Structures are given as C-alpha cells and as structure tokens.
Amino acid sequence: MKKAMVVLMVMMLLCTSLFAQGVQEDGKQFIGLAMPETHVERWQMDGAALKEAALALGYDAEVTFGDADQTKQNAQISDFITKGADILIIGSVNEGVVTAVADAKRDGVEVIAYDRLITGSDQYDYYITFDNFKVGQFQGKAIVDALDLESATMSDPKFITLFAGSPTDNNAFFFFDGAMSQLKPFVDKGVLKIVGPAPLSSDDTANFTRIATENWRADLAKQRMENLLNGDAKNYTLDAVLAPNDTLARAIIEALLTDAKYRTALPVVTGQDGELASIQFIKDGKQTMTVFKDTRDLAKAAIDLADALLKGETPEIAGARLDTTTYDTGKKVVKSYLLEPVNVTKDNYMEVMIDSGYYTADQIR
Ligand code: GAL
C-alpha cells in the first residue's frame, strides 16, 4: 500500500512539473502569440501565419490581439504565462509591455519582440522585423522619383507635408529617418518645401510628435490632413504627402479628395504593408506606392527563431540578416533579424502581391 502511494505521489509530481514547464496535456510545447491590434489589417495576417507556422512545427499556439490597449495585451500575456507558455512572440502596443516581459523572464519564459522593438527592457534578447530604415528609404525615394526632385529648381519648388507613425512605436522613427535620408538633400537645396511641421530627423522630438499618429489611428490622420488643408496647406498645392503606412495613406487620401484642388489630381502619397485596399488604390492611381513586408516570411522566421531557442540551438534564420548593433532598447542592444522589404508600385504589384499568392487576382477589381 505504502509503495503504491509513493508511486502515485511521484506520478502527480511529474505531471505537475511537466505542465508547469508548458508541456501541454497533448505533450506539445506551447507558444503564446500576442499581436497588438486588428485595426491595421496586417496584424490579422501575422497572427494567422504565426499560428500556422507554429502548428506546422508541432507546437501548440494561441493568438491574441490587444486592440491597441497595452493593459489588455499585458493581461493576455499573463494568461499565456499561467497556461505554461514556453516562449512568447510579442508585437507590442507600447512600452507598457515591459512589466509583462519582466514577468515572463521571472518565470523563465523567453520573449521574442515581433516587428516592434520592445523598448525600456533588458529582459529579452531577440527582435525580428524588417529593415525598417529601408522601408522609409523606399518611401522617400518614391517621392524623389515621382517629383523628379533631381531636376527641381528653387524657382519652382515642390511642396510636401509630413506624417509619421505612432510615437509609441519605435519603428515609426526608423521609417521617418529612412524617408528623410532621401528627402533632406532636396530640402537643403531649397527645391523641396515642407508645409506644416518640418522635422528633418526623428530626433527633433517636438516637431516629430506634431506629425506622429497615435496608435496608427486612421481617424487621427484624416483629421490632421483636413486641418492642414484648412490651415498650413490652405494656400499651397501639395505635390506629395509622406504617409508611413497604408492605413494612414488611405485616410489622408480620403481627406485630400474632399478638397477640389486634389479631386482630379492627387499628390504623391506613400504607404507601407501592402494592404489589399491600398493595392487597389495603387492600381487606381490614388496611392503611389506601398512597401510589402511579407507577413508569411516574418511569421515563419519568428517561429523558426522560437524553435531554435526552445531546442537550445543557435538560430539560423533563412532570408534574414542578423544585426547585433542597431536596435537599442534603451537598456540593451538586442540581437535583431531583419528581413528584406519590397517596394511596390503600379508597375510591379501584380508580380509582388498576386503572383506571390499573397492576394488573388479576383481580389483586385
Ligand atoms: C508598425 C509596423 C508597420 C505597420 C504599423 C501599423 O509597427 O512595422 O508595418 O503595420 O505598425 O500597425
């Protein structure tokens, strides 16, 4: 009898310890996937692609969306930890995520920052994203080329107004500085004039904040564009608008179309994310370009990174460049894997977005 009790106790302890380490009842390890929001379409695709890639490697996985509310996302992360997650892949909303990252670290759960650097923390080691500076360079170069700024003169300058992404999103600073690396030489020459707030670097905090868009909200971008049309830009005809992603680009275009000046001739408007509605806008000549960041590739790379870390192996991430110097959280420089973004215009959207299978031809009218 005593021996049976001992065996039973050992079995119970073994089950408890296995569950605590995240080995689910089905014997699989568990990956928690915390995405920031769904109002920007691409995150829905990221969540689906991450879960698919995790299941394909034999993991359990669950996706949550934080509705751009970091408190909500922190609760979701805490729930993953309680469920015994072995690793977390987090696309954060803002720096408030650091408390959840600290909790994960305390419980021995590794965190991978997904496409948004987690600033203010030294409690994690890896970031996986696209080359965000290059995303901005594509946006800036599109404006340089479309306006032929190389040939522009001070006597006939071109006019631009600037938008940036969320000030809570570290990527927004890289996007802006990448674009400005292309545009600033023409501002300095006096052939490109900035209408409205005119930061030439994201270090110009006061002016960068004036062009930034909290939580990437389309309604705020639309309102600000309308304010510009009735204010700083009232007596100008804009030749370009630097828009940091597709959601904001379409909101800005919607506002521009309310102004008779632009109803038949929109300025150059940039974007990012290859959202379906913006591919349609590009085909229709309303939006000039977008930057495709294939969420299928990013998701696969993130899961491959998680897989290597869970197996205690040195990560070898196909299609990604390892950067060990650029991405500083403010507490440490994290090892970052950067995938290559792709510039998309009217000339190549079929090849990049349709032939790649990301969208189908019948999705584009
Ligand atoms: C950024 C991301 C962009 C865009 C934006 C809006 O962090 O890098 O691709 O999706 O968020 O959510």
Short mmCIF file of all heavy atoms in Angstrom, two decimals, residues 36-37 39-43 46 92 114-117 127 129-130 132 135 165-166 169-172 175 215-217 244-248 272-275 291 293 295 298, ligand 1:
data_model
loop_
_atom_site.label_atom_id
_atom_site.label_comp_id
_atom_site.label_asym_id
_atom_site.label_seq_id
_atom_site.Cartn_x
_atom_site.Cartn_y
_atom_site.Cartn_z
N PRO A 36 -0.64 43.22 -31.51
CA PRO A 36 -1.06 44.48 -30.88
C PRO A 36 -2.50 44.89 -31.15
O PRO A 36 -3.16 45.46 -30.29
CB PRO A 36 -0.10 45.52 -31.47
CG PRO A 36 0.29 44.96 -32.80
CD PRO A 36 0.32 43.48 -32.63
N GLU A 37 -2.96 44.66 -32.37
CA GLU A 37 -4.25 45.25 -32.76
C GLU A 37 -4.77 44.54 -34.00
O GLU A 37 -4.05 43.75 -34.60
CB GLU A 37 -4.01 46.74 -33.05
CG GLU A 37 -3.01 46.94 -34.18
CD GLU A 37 -2.06 48.13 -33.99
OE1 GLU A 37 -1.86 48.59 -32.86
OE2 GLU A 37 -1.51 48.58 -35.01
N HIS A 39 -6.97 46.75 -36.04
CA HIS A 39 -7.46 47.85 -36.91
C HIS A 39 -6.48 48.11 -38.04
O HIS A 39 -6.84 48.72 -39.05
CB HIS A 39 -7.78 49.12 -36.12
CG HIS A 39 -6.59 49.82 -35.55
ND1 HIS A 39 -6.09 49.54 -34.29
CD2 HIS A 39 -5.79 50.78 -36.05
CE1 HIS A 39 -5.05 50.32 -34.05
NE2 HIS A 39 -4.85 51.09 -35.10
N VAL A 40 -5.22 47.66 -37.88
CA VAL A 40 -4.32 47.66 -39.03
C VAL A 40 -4.28 46.21 -39.52
O VAL A 40 -3.82 45.31 -38.82
CB VAL A 40 -2.90 48.14 -38.66
CG1 VAL A 40 -2.01 48.08 -39.90
CG2 VAL A 40 -2.95 49.57 -38.12
N GLU A 41 -4.81 46.05 -40.72
CA GLU A 41 -5.13 44.73 -41.28
C GLU A 41 -3.99 43.73 -41.18
O GLU A 41 -4.20 42.55 -40.89
CB GLU A 41 -5.51 44.99 -42.75
CG GLU A 41 -5.71 43.83 -43.65
CD GLU A 41 -5.80 44.33 -45.10
OE1 GLU A 41 -6.70 45.15 -45.37
OE2 GLU A 41 -4.96 43.93 -45.93
N ARG A 42 -2.76 44.17 -41.38
CA ARG A 42 -1.67 43.20 -41.50
C ARG A 42 -1.53 42.34 -40.27
O ARG A 42 -1.12 41.18 -40.36
CB ARG A 42 -0.34 43.88 -41.84
CG ARG A 42 0.12 45.01 -40.94
CD ARG A 42 1.03 44.76 -39.77
NE ARG A 42 1.89 43.67 -39.70
CZ ARG A 42 3.23 43.79 -39.55
NH1 ARG A 42 3.77 44.98 -39.61
NH2 ARG A 42 3.98 42.72 -39.38
N TRP A 43 -1.88 42.83 -39.07
CA TRP A 43 -1.67 42.05 -37.84
C TRP A 43 -2.58 40.82 -37.78
O TRP A 43 -2.23 39.82 -37.16
CB TRP A 43 -1.87 42.93 -36.60
CG TRP A 43 -0.85 44.01 -36.51
CD1 TRP A 43 -1.06 45.35 -36.74
CD2 TRP A 43 0.55 43.87 -36.24
NE1 TRP A 43 0.12 46.04 -36.60
CE2 TRP A 43 1.11 45.16 -36.30
CE3 TRP A 43 1.37 42.79 -35.94
CZ2 TRP A 43 2.47 45.40 -36.06
CZ3 TRP A 43 2.72 43.02 -35.71
CH2 TRP A 43 3.27 44.30 -35.77
N ASP A 46 -0.59 38.43 -39.72
CA ASP A 46 0.55 37.97 -38.92
C ASP A 46 0.10 36.88 -37.95
O ASP A 46 0.72 35.82 -37.83
CB ASP A 46 1.15 39.13 -38.10
CG ASP A 46 1.87 40.14 -38.95
OD1 ASP A 46 3.08 39.95 -39.22
OD2 ASP A 46 1.24 41.13 -39.35
N SER A 92 4.22 44.36 -29.65
CA SER A 92 3.68 45.16 -28.53
C SER A 92 2.93 46.39 -29.02
O SER A 92 3.08 46.82 -30.17
CB SER A 92 4.85 45.61 -27.63
OG SER A 92 5.79 46.33 -28.42
N TYR A 114 8.32 41.03 -31.82
CA TYR A 114 7.90 40.75 -33.20
C TYR A 114 7.52 42.04 -33.89
O TYR A 114 6.54 42.69 -33.56
CB TYR A 114 6.71 39.78 -33.16
CG TYR A 114 6.18 39.38 -34.51
CD1 TYR A 114 6.72 38.30 -35.21
CD2 TYR A 114 5.14 40.09 -35.12
CE1 TYR A 114 6.23 37.92 -36.46
CE2 TYR A 114 4.64 39.73 -36.37
CZ TYR A 114 5.19 38.64 -37.03
OH TYR A 114 4.70 38.27 -38.27
N ASP A 115 8.35 42.46 -34.84
CA ASP A 115 8.12 43.60 -35.73
C ASP A 115 7.91 44.92 -35.01
O ASP A 115 7.64 45.93 -35.64
CB ASP A 115 6.97 43.37 -36.71
CG ASP A 115 7.12 44.29 -37.92
OD1 ASP A 115 8.27 44.62 -38.26
OD2 ASP A 115 6.10 44.71 -38.48
N ARG A 116 8.00 44.93 -33.70
CA ARG A 116 8.02 46.20 -32.95
C ARG A 116 9.00 46.01 -31.81
O ARG A 116 8.80 45.13 -30.95
CB ARG A 116 6.64 46.56 -32.39
CG ARG A 116 5.67 47.02 -33.46
CD ARG A 116 4.38 47.50 -32.87
NE ARG A 116 3.51 48.08 -33.91
CZ ARG A 116 2.25 48.45 -33.70
NH1 ARG A 116 1.71 48.28 -32.50
NH2 ARG A 116 1.53 48.96 -34.67
N LEU A 117 10.08 46.80 -31.81
CA LEU A 117 11.07 46.68 -30.75
C LEU A 117 10.42 46.97 -29.39
O LEU A 117 9.64 47.92 -29.26
CB LEU A 117 12.19 47.71 -30.99
CG LEU A 117 13.39 47.62 -30.06
CD1 LEU A 117 14.17 46.34 -30.29
CD2 LEU A 117 14.28 48.84 -30.22
N TYR A 127 14.85 40.26 -31.40
CA TYR A 127 13.86 41.07 -32.13
C TYR A 127 13.86 40.55 -33.56
O TYR A 127 14.94 40.27 -34.12
CB TYR A 127 14.29 42.53 -32.08
CG TYR A 127 13.45 43.53 -32.84
CD1 TYR A 127 12.07 43.42 -32.94
CD2 TYR A 127 14.04 44.63 -33.44
CE1 TYR A 127 11.29 44.35 -33.62
CE2 TYR A 127 13.29 45.58 -34.14
CZ TYR A 127 11.92 45.43 -34.20
OH TYR A 127 11.16 46.37 -34.88
N THR A 129 12.17 41.50 -37.36
CA THR A 129 11.43 42.54 -38.06
C THR A 129 11.93 42.62 -39.50
O THR A 129 12.64 41.74 -39.97
CB THR A 129 11.64 43.89 -37.33
OG1 THR A 129 10.81 44.89 -37.93
CG2 THR A 129 13.09 44.36 -37.38
N PHE A 130 11.51 43.71 -40.17
CA PHE A 130 12.06 44.00 -41.49
C PHE A 130 13.06 45.14 -41.34
O PHE A 130 13.12 45.79 -40.28
CB PHE A 130 10.93 44.40 -42.46
CG PHE A 130 10.07 43.24 -42.88
CD1 PHE A 130 8.98 42.86 -42.10
CD2 PHE A 130 10.34 42.52 -44.03
CE1 PHE A 130 8.19 41.78 -42.47
CE2 PHE A 130 9.55 41.44 -44.40
CZ PHE A 130 8.47 41.07 -43.62
N ASN A 132 13.57 48.35 -41.25
CA ASN A 132 12.62 49.46 -41.16
C ASN A 132 13.17 50.76 -41.74
O ASN A 132 12.42 51.57 -42.28
CB ASN A 132 12.21 49.66 -39.70
CG ASN A 132 11.49 48.43 -39.16
OD1 ASN A 132 10.47 48.02 -39.71
ND2 ASN A 132 12.05 47.83 -38.13
N VAL A 135 12.54 50.57 -45.33
CA VAL A 135 11.12 50.85 -45.63
C VAL A 135 10.96 52.35 -45.87
O VAL A 135 10.39 52.79 -46.85
CB VAL A 135 10.22 50.40 -44.47
CG1 VAL A 135 8.80 50.94 -44.64
CG2 VAL A 135 10.20 48.87 -44.35
N GLY A 165 4.33 57.63 -38.07
CA GLY A 165 3.55 56.61 -37.37
C GLY A 165 3.40 56.94 -35.89
O GLY A 165 3.65 58.06 -35.46
N SER A 166 3.03 55.93 -35.11
CA SER A 166 2.75 56.16 -33.70
C SER A 166 4.03 56.49 -32.92
O SER A 166 5.03 55.78 -33.06
CB SER A 166 2.08 54.93 -33.08
OG SER A 166 1.80 55.20 -31.72
N ASP A 169 5.70 53.70 -31.17
CA ASP A 169 6.22 52.58 -31.96
C ASP A 169 7.61 52.93 -32.46
O ASP A 169 7.77 53.80 -33.31
CB ASP A 169 5.27 52.31 -33.13
CG ASP A 169 5.72 51.14 -34.00
OD1 ASP A 169 6.86 50.67 -33.81
OD2 ASP A 169 4.94 50.71 -34.85
N ASN A 170 8.60 52.25 -31.96
CA ASN A 170 9.99 52.53 -32.31
C ASN A 170 10.22 52.49 -33.82
O ASN A 170 11.03 53.24 -34.37
CB ASN A 170 10.88 51.49 -31.61
CG ASN A 170 12.35 51.77 -31.79
OD1 ASN A 170 12.88 52.73 -31.28
ND2 ASN A 170 13.01 50.94 -32.59
N ASN A 171 9.45 51.63 -34.50
CA ASN A 171 9.60 51.54 -35.96
C ASN A 171 9.34 52.89 -36.63
O ASN A 171 9.95 53.24 -37.63
CB ASN A 171 8.61 50.52 -36.55
CG ASN A 171 8.97 49.11 -36.18
OD1 ASN A 171 10.05 48.84 -35.70
ND2 ASN A 171 8.04 48.20 -36.40
N ALA A 172 8.39 53.65 -36.07
CA ALA A 172 7.98 54.91 -36.72
C ALA A 172 9.16 55.85 -36.89
O ALA A 172 9.25 56.60 -37.87
CB ALA A 172 6.88 55.58 -35.89
N PHE A 175 11.23 54.49 -39.85
CA PHE A 175 10.56 54.79 -41.13
C PHE A 175 10.83 56.25 -41.51
O PHE A 175 11.22 56.56 -42.63
CB PHE A 175 9.04 54.57 -41.03
CG PHE A 175 8.60 53.18 -40.67
CD1 PHE A 175 7.45 52.98 -39.91
CD2 PHE A 175 9.32 52.08 -41.07
CE1 PHE A 175 7.03 51.70 -39.58
CE2 PHE A 175 8.91 50.79 -40.74
CZ PHE A 175 7.77 50.62 -40.00
N ASN A 215 -1.04 55.49 -32.07
CA ASN A 215 -1.57 54.14 -32.31
C ASN A 215 -1.95 53.88 -33.76
O ASN A 215 -2.82 53.05 -34.06
CB ASN A 215 -2.78 53.86 -31.42
CG ASN A 215 -2.33 53.37 -30.05
OD1 ASN A 215 -1.22 52.86 -29.91
ND2 ASN A 215 -3.15 53.57 -29.04
N TRP A 216 -1.31 54.63 -34.66
CA TRP A 216 -1.53 54.43 -36.11
C TRP A 216 -3.01 54.58 -36.47
O TRP A 216 -3.52 53.88 -37.34
CB TRP A 216 -1.03 53.05 -36.53
CG TRP A 216 0.44 52.85 -36.36
CD1 TRP A 216 1.08 52.39 -35.26
CD2 TRP A 216 1.46 53.10 -37.35
NE1 TRP A 216 2.43 52.35 -35.48
CE2 TRP A 216 2.69 52.78 -36.77
CE3 TRP A 216 1.44 53.57 -38.66
CZ2 TRP A 216 3.90 52.91 -37.44
CZ3 TRP A 216 2.64 53.70 -39.35
CH2 TRP A 216 3.86 53.37 -38.73
N ARG A 217 -3.72 55.50 -35.79
CA ARG A 217 -5.16 55.62 -35.99
C ARG A 217 -5.51 56.41 -37.23
O ARG A 217 -5.17 57.59 -37.38
CB ARG A 217 -5.81 56.25 -34.74
CG ARG A 217 -5.97 55.28 -33.58
CD ARG A 217 -6.49 55.96 -32.34
NE ARG A 217 -7.62 56.85 -32.62
CZ ARG A 217 -8.13 57.69 -31.72
NH1 ARG A 217 -7.57 57.78 -30.51
NH2 ARG A 217 -9.15 58.47 -32.02
N PRO A 244 3.23 57.08 -43.59
CA PRO A 244 4.10 55.99 -43.13
C PRO A 244 3.57 54.58 -43.31
O PRO A 244 4.34 53.63 -43.28
CB PRO A 244 4.30 56.30 -41.65
CG PRO A 244 3.05 57.00 -41.26
CD PRO A 244 2.62 57.80 -42.44
N ASN A 245 2.24 54.43 -43.44
CA ASN A 245 1.71 53.10 -43.76
C ASN A 245 0.39 53.22 -44.50
O ASN A 245 -0.14 54.32 -44.67
CB ASN A 245 1.59 52.25 -42.49
CG ASN A 245 0.28 52.49 -41.75
OD1 ASN A 245 -0.30 53.57 -41.83
ND2 ASN A 245 -0.17 51.49 -41.02
N ASP A 246 -0.12 52.09 -44.99
CA ASP A 246 -1.29 52.12 -45.89
C ASP A 246 -2.55 52.62 -45.20
O ASP A 246 -3.35 53.36 -45.79
CB ASP A 246 -1.54 50.72 -46.44
CG ASP A 246 -0.48 50.28 -47.43
OD1 ASP A 246 0.29 51.14 -47.91
OD2 ASP A 246 -0.41 49.07 -47.72
N THR A 247 -2.75 52.20 -43.95
CA THR A 247 -3.97 52.62 -43.24
C THR A 247 -4.04 54.14 -43.20
O THR A 247 -5.09 54.75 -43.47
CB THR A 247 -3.93 52.09 -41.79
OG1 THR A 247 -3.61 50.70 -41.81
CG2 THR A 247 -5.24 52.28 -41.09
N LEU A 248 -2.93 54.78 -42.89
CA LEU A 248 -2.91 56.25 -42.82
C LEU A 248 -2.95 56.86 -44.21
O LEU A 248 -3.60 57.88 -44.43
CB LEU A 248 -1.68 56.72 -42.04
CG LEU A 248 -1.51 56.15 -40.63
CD1 LEU A 248 -0.40 56.88 -39.88
CD2 LEU A 248 -2.81 56.20 -39.85
N GLN A 272 2.77 51.66 -46.71
CA GLN A 272 3.55 50.50 -46.24
C GLN A 272 2.57 49.41 -45.79
O GLN A 272 1.50 49.76 -45.26
CB GLN A 272 4.42 50.89 -45.04
CG GLN A 272 5.08 49.71 -44.38
CD GLN A 272 5.73 50.07 -43.05
OE1 GLN A 272 6.35 49.21 -42.46
NE2 GLN A 272 5.64 51.29 -42.58
N ASP A 273 2.91 48.19 -45.96
CA ASP A 273 2.19 46.99 -45.51
C ASP A 273 1.51 46.22 -46.61
O ASP A 273 1.03 45.11 -46.36
CB ASP A 273 1.13 47.32 -44.43
CG ASP A 273 1.76 47.64 -43.10
OD1 ASP A 273 2.85 47.09 -42.82
OD2 ASP A 273 1.19 48.43 -42.34
N GLY A 274 1.42 46.78 -47.80
CA GLY A 274 0.82 46.02 -48.90
C GLY A 274 -0.61 45.60 -48.61
O GLY A 274 -1.03 44.49 -48.94
N GLU A 275 -1.36 46.50 -47.94
CA GLU A 275 -2.75 46.14 -47.63
C GLU A 275 -3.58 46.09 -48.90
O GLU A 275 -3.38 46.87 -49.83
CB GLU A 275 -3.34 47.17 -46.65
CG GLU A 275 -2.71 47.07 -45.28
CD GLU A 275 -3.39 47.98 -44.26
OE1 GLU A 275 -4.26 48.78 -44.66
OE2 GLU A 275 -3.06 47.88 -43.07
N VAL A 291 5.02 49.45 -49.31
CA VAL A 291 6.18 48.59 -49.08
C VAL A 291 5.64 47.28 -48.53
O VAL A 291 4.94 47.26 -47.51
CB VAL A 291 7.18 49.21 -48.08
CG1 VAL A 291 8.39 48.29 -47.91
CG2 VAL A 291 7.62 50.59 -48.56
N LYS A 293 5.84 43.87 -46.75
CA LYS A 293 6.60 43.15 -45.73
C LYS A 293 5.84 41.84 -45.55
O LYS A 293 4.87 41.77 -44.81
CB LYS A 293 6.66 43.97 -44.45
CG LYS A 293 7.24 45.34 -44.69
CD LYS A 293 7.35 46.29 -43.52
CE LYS A 293 6.72 45.97 -42.26
NZ LYS A 293 6.94 47.02 -41.25
N THR A 295 4.16 39.03 -44.46
CA THR A 295 3.95 38.52 -43.09
C THR A 295 4.13 37.00 -43.04
O THR A 295 4.43 36.45 -41.99
CB THR A 295 2.53 38.88 -42.61
OG1 THR A 295 1.59 38.48 -43.61
CG2 THR A 295 2.40 40.37 -42.38
N LEU A 298 7.85 36.72 -42.35
CA LEU A 298 8.19 37.18 -40.99
C LEU A 298 7.70 36.18 -39.95
O LEU A 298 8.42 35.84 -39.01
CB LEU A 298 7.58 38.56 -40.73
CG LEU A 298 7.95 39.21 -39.40
CD1 LEU A 298 9.46 39.47 -39.31
CD2 LEU A 298 7.18 40.52 -39.19
C1 GAL B 1 4.35 49.04 -37.36
C2 GAL B 1 4.68 48.07 -38.45
C3 GAL B 1 4.08 48.57 -39.73
C4 GAL B 1 2.61 48.90 -39.57
C5 GAL B 1 2.32 49.67 -38.32
C6 GAL B 1 0.83 49.78 -38.04
O1 GAL B 1 4.97 48.65 -36.19
O2 GAL B 1 6.09 47.93 -38.61
O3 GAL B 1 4.25 47.55 -40.70
O4 GAL B 1 1.88 47.71 -39.55
O5 GAL B 1 2.94 49.07 -37.21
O6 GAL B 1 0.38 48.77 -37.26
#
